Amino acid sequence: MTAPTGAHNASHETHDYDVVVIGAGGSGLRAAIAAHESGARTAIVTKSLLGKAHTVMAEGGIAASMGNVWPEDNWQVHFRDTMRGGKMLNNWRMAQLHAQEAPERVWELEEWGALFDRTKDGKISQRDFGGHRYARLAHVGDRTGLEMIRTLQQRAVELGIDVYMECTVTQLLKDGDRIAGTFGYWRETGSFIQLNAPAVIIATGGIGKSFKVTSNSWEYTGDGHALALQAGASLINMEFVQFHPTGMVWPLSVRGLLITESVRGEGGVLRNSDGKRFMFDYITDYFKAETADTEEEADRWYDDHINNRRPPELLPRDEVARAINSEIKAGRGSPHGGVFLDIATRRSAADIHKRLPSMYHQFKELADVDITKDPMEVAPTCHYVMGGVEVDPETQAATVAGLYAVGEASGGMHGSNRLGGNSLSDLIVFGKRAGESAAEYAAKLDRRPAAPAADVANAIAVALKPFDDNGDENAYTVQQELQDVMFSLVGIIRTGAEMEQALAEIEKYKARVKRVTVQGGRAYNPGWHVALDIHNMLTVSEACAKAALERKESRGGHTRDDYPKTDPEWGKINLIVTEENGAISITHKPLPQMPADLAQLFEEAK
Amino acid sequence: MGHTQKMRVWRGDAAGGGFVDYDVPVEEGEVVLDAIHRLQATQANDLAVRWNCKAGKCGSCSAEINGKPRLMCMSRLSSYDPDETITVTPMRTFPVIRDLVTDVTFNYEKAREVPSFAPPSDNQGGKFRMNQLDVERSQEFRKCIECFLCQNTCHVVRDHEENKPNFAGPRFLIRYAELDMHPLDTVDRKNTAQEDAGLGYCNITKCCSEVCPENIHITDNGIIPLKERVVDVKYDPVVFIAKKIGLRKDSGRTPVGPAGGGPSPIKHPEKFADS
């Protein structure tokens, strides 16, 4: 390996790599480590500072069937839970690889310095979470994501992997039909930077910033989804957006902020304004056989998973979010428009402090609520997009040569609904696979692809367009209006008419953003950054709304008032999103067939 | 229940700058970062500010509010008098990039000087066993969200540029403490902590602990025990004699020097003659 060479171009800098990873969350860092360890000259490009990625917001844990708490657990059970949680729309091979490889990836984090909470006999402790049959989540209190990011960040720095911080990619570069690198700008100076690389891994996270009430940060503008589409790759499952059941509702300033599912995993229950544990009224036939139907059985389950069934508060997230939504609509909500999440009457103050320290801190500091004494008010918040770049399950390769995608930016693994805890494990399982396969692809090429100069010139022109001072639009205003429209019209409950209205609004925004003009110069100018990001937000919003309009059923993170039933025929179909000349279209694709030995797992032990 | 909040924000860059006054409409329950965002969306689109999670978990929005180092997302407006002008300035210890954004490279360079975690080699496949009590000591330091407020506050480097090459700062002294207390770590960083990270510069004024948004007891649980261990091996005459005559052995851990040789992997924009 030789050090990357820096070359001065008239207007921007260029560097050469084998693999460029866009994004420095859990999946990006894990992919970069794998690519580096496979011998590839690797660079990480991230919009934020290293260590700040959205992974730090993951609280509950990493799902992996290590069997430390319940020896009965194994990958087959995890696989089955994952598929059922996703209402069988998951790519079965991804779900299988994920369940099989997650334990090894967790143990690997430990070898890199992560310190998980322990069982009495000193193993990694595992906690209960929605949709998981056994306590399965390796965790560190309620800050597991921070532990993951810090461990991977420290590992990457130790390995000396190049990091381009606060650097935003605006276009993927191609040579014919192959990936040739990335083009973007440094936020600090506004100067441009081109990274030439035959393999690019998209690890940019999700699209949640397009929704008004969200647990996601400013970064979640769907950059990777949009970059991939524009480069000719396809997206899959874009209609499925997860609304996490428990976001904060008050004060307004923190509306949407995540309250970890661990609160329920640790015994917390949901109540309406009558004080009733309403989740017992929302147990669907699909989960009836495995869900407790009395409070007594539900409460016994925490200590005895074998002879009791799971409390309905721990149904998969889509089920719980819909139930909360219904209670609020029926007028049985809390004062600020949520329902009550009660841990105070269920666990001792000492236990709450120990098991849920950052939730205690969050409510105390931001809402003046002491969760050891009073219930929390909660309502669904946009949290995660199941949809993403369509990839090969083994290699994470997208449909464009040299392009890979991983983590939330990729699709298929979680089907129509992701189980809590399956995200962090997804990041490390497929991060490693993506990094290794990208490095292998780059090593096998006999000629380095090179982007045509005209494409780079065009990328520069597009990036500088918002500085033309002939417009009258404010990018922040368009962004806020889009967030309102997506949350209210393509949100937790959808109808055809509302989604058509949303698509019409999106068309208007597309026209308006052409007239956006930014104030100030190029150095660290968030106004300019928003003016560029908004294009990606519009692209992913349109992809989501079009796919959602097409799927005429309700399933997982896609609930339609006009098609309230789950339709077995739709259960055989994935929706694929592609873009040509700026026009987004949707096609149907049959689900890959699960082999008989795996299919059998769903016949047994219902 | 909203009101108009008087804000005074430092605007400028490395070449200089000054305070600009704004009136910002705010709502009940909001934090300083909300006011800054509204200001940015409506009056100053190009106001440079870092933020990510807005939940006190990522440590991006560090600044000085009325002179106190704080996270903007965890500073509620209700803790200030409604008639009071809230002054927001960038962290002082790091060079300004623009407005409220500073160049925190110092911290990333110090991070790579800490010798790596080194577990025993024979523990493939989940066979490590650790006691909860033993992991909790290091877990306290791993709560660190790297907001760098402690680094900003520490008087060893605040207004003392000359100390920066020799001093890692509280954040990385607790990284040493974390690794030193890690049940699996096999290397001895005491010498490195003293010689290369400048542990001796710290005179335990505890300013770092006071500003830590995670309430980590940086000094009491991290730096002081680390100092005691260093003193124990370096200066204790009894230990010195015991070692000489073979009554006491070292920890069995391998002493190491600083990591981070070679060119820095943290990249920066290249400077062009024409820009």
Side-chain angles (χ1 to χ4, degrees), chain B residues 236-258:
Chain B
D236 188 328
V238 180
V239 172
F240 177 78
I241 292 164
K243 271 190 189 170
K244 276 278 179 212
I245 60 175
L247 280 176
R248 172 162 168 156
K249 296 215 165 44
D250 276 331
S251 61
R253 294 180 167 197
T254 319
V256 292

Side-chain angles (χ1 to χ4, degrees), chain A residues 12 58 90 126 176 197 231 305 485 589:
Chain A
H12 66 282
N90 319 52
Q126 300 188 265
H305 285 24
V485 159
K589 187 173 179 178

Side-chain angles (χ1 to χ4, degrees), chain B residues 137-138 140-141 149-151 153-157 167-181 189-190 193-194 197-212 216-232:
Chain B
R137 295 191 300 168
S138 291
E140 179 184 3
F141 308 126
L149 286 173
C150 60
Q151 305 285 85
T153 304
C154 179
H155 64 89
V156 176
V157 282
F167 185 62
R171 191 282 168 257
F172 296 102
L173 293 178
I174 63 164
R175 170 76 171 137
Y176 276 95
E178 171 211 317
L179 289 165
D180 198 46
M181 297 177 193
R189 296 174 184 76
K190 291 184 192 70
Q194 183 71 7
L199 179 62
Y201 281 80
C202 168
N203 55 355
I204 321 183
T205 53
K206 301 196 183 184
C207 315
C208 51
S209 306
E210 267 173 43
V211 298
C212 178
I216 298 169
H217 297 93
I218 299 174
T219 333
D220 289 350
N221 292 353
I223 296 178
I224 291 173
L226 194 61
K227 277 175 175 277
E228 285 170 353
R229 285 169 194 238
V230 168
V231 168
D232 183 45

